[in-house]
Amino acid sequence: MLDVNIYEKRGDSRPVQHFEDAYYCSNEAVDLTVEDVNFDGNLDFHFIVAVGEGSNRFSSYYIWYAEHQAFQQDPYGLNNLCSAQLYPEERVIRTFMRYNIGAHETCFYRFENGGLVCVRRLKIDYPVALENGREGLEATVEDRRDGELSEVYRATVDPAEQPPGGEIAPGFSRWYELDACGK
């Protein structure tokens, strides 16, 4: 368990805020990051609290609310995001979750109407059974349309038939750019 104390200024003897937070990285130091997580112009902070298989990392987020002059623990559900990266210019949070050596998922989130919303999900499932009896992969893309995620791309690929260094599936990589559409 971590004790999180917020002080008005360095050297103060009493914190202005105190939180307790779960911490599962027993062999790692707390890696505190200060940045504007929700793109509102105020600095927030987060730190890694759990490291899973592969590159999966989960953080605990604290968001500054100027009107309350206080930090709030994870008001958006950010703690559920895996390996989140902020892109302030695009006002996007990008996540990455590895399920196994060949399966993974990338999601793009934006803040809309006071909440965090997934606007695109790219997923690679592996292994999937192919009609030829071999194992392949399936690439899918879902985009947010009319308030819901809807599938806009699907391809099933036999890795044995792919050229070396080629794309995972035809046209799949372009979906990592948020301005890509299904046309």
Side-chain angles (χ1 to χ4, degrees):
M1 187 66 72
L2 284 177
D3 282 325
V4 179
N5 292 301
I6 310 295
Y7 294 90
E8 182 72 29
K9 61 184 184 221
R10 187 181 302 258
D12 282 356
S13 61
R14 302 181 101 191
V16 293
Q17 260 189 292
H18 171 80
F19 302 104
E20 287 185 356
D21 207 330
Y23 185 69
Y24 304 102
C25 302
S26 61
N27 295 330
E28 295 187 28
V30 175
D31 185 16
L32 177 71
T33 302
V34 177
E35 59 188 337
D36 182 6
V37 173
N38 59 348
F39 314 119
D40 68 353
N42 296 310
L43 290 177
D44 312 301
F45 69 93
H46 56 95
F47 49 88
I48 295 171
V49 294
V51 178
E53 292 294 320
S55 58
N56 297 337
R57 298 185 185 290
F58 293 90
S59 292
S60 189
Y61 291 84
Y62 294 81
I63 306 301
W64 176 255
Y65 281 88
E67 62 272 12
H68 298 109
Q69 292 294 296
F71 287 96
Q72 185 175 350
Q73 282 181 295
D74 190 25
Y76 302 111
L78 294 159
N79 291 357
N80 298 322
L81 302 182
C82 182
S83 303
Q85 294 179 312
L86 304 181
Y87 294 87
E89 303 80 35
E90 294 87 18
R91 300 177 67 85
V92 168
I93 298 175
R94 180 177 170 173
T95 65
F96 180 80
M97 170 78 90
R98 180 171 302 284
Y99 298 109
N100 63 38
I101 195 160
H104 55 86
E105 176 178 286
T106 298
C107 293
F108 295 87
Y109 293 86
R110 286 207 163 113
F111 290 97
E112 295 179 5
N113 301 321
L116 187 66
V117 176
C118 182
V119 295
R120 179 168 293 160
R121 177 181 296 129
L122 293 90
K123 190 170 184 180
I124 301 293
D125 285 318
Y126 178 84
V128 295
L130 300 176
E131 290 178 7
N132 61 13
R134 294 197 294 246
E135 289 183 342
L137 63 86
E138 186 170 69
T140 57
V141 177
E142 296 174 306
D143 254 355
R144 188 160 186 258
R145 303 209 172 145
D146 299 324
E148 299 289 327
L149 283 177
S150 302
E151 188 174 291
V152 294
Y153 174 93
R154 177 180 295 271
T156 304
V157 177
D158 184 341
E161 296 175 6
Q162 284 184 291
E167 198 171 1
I168 290 175
F172 184 73
S173 63
R174 72 185 178 97
W175 291 97
Y176 284 95
E177 298 296 325
L178 277 178
D179 60 356
C181 62
K183 297 178 182 174

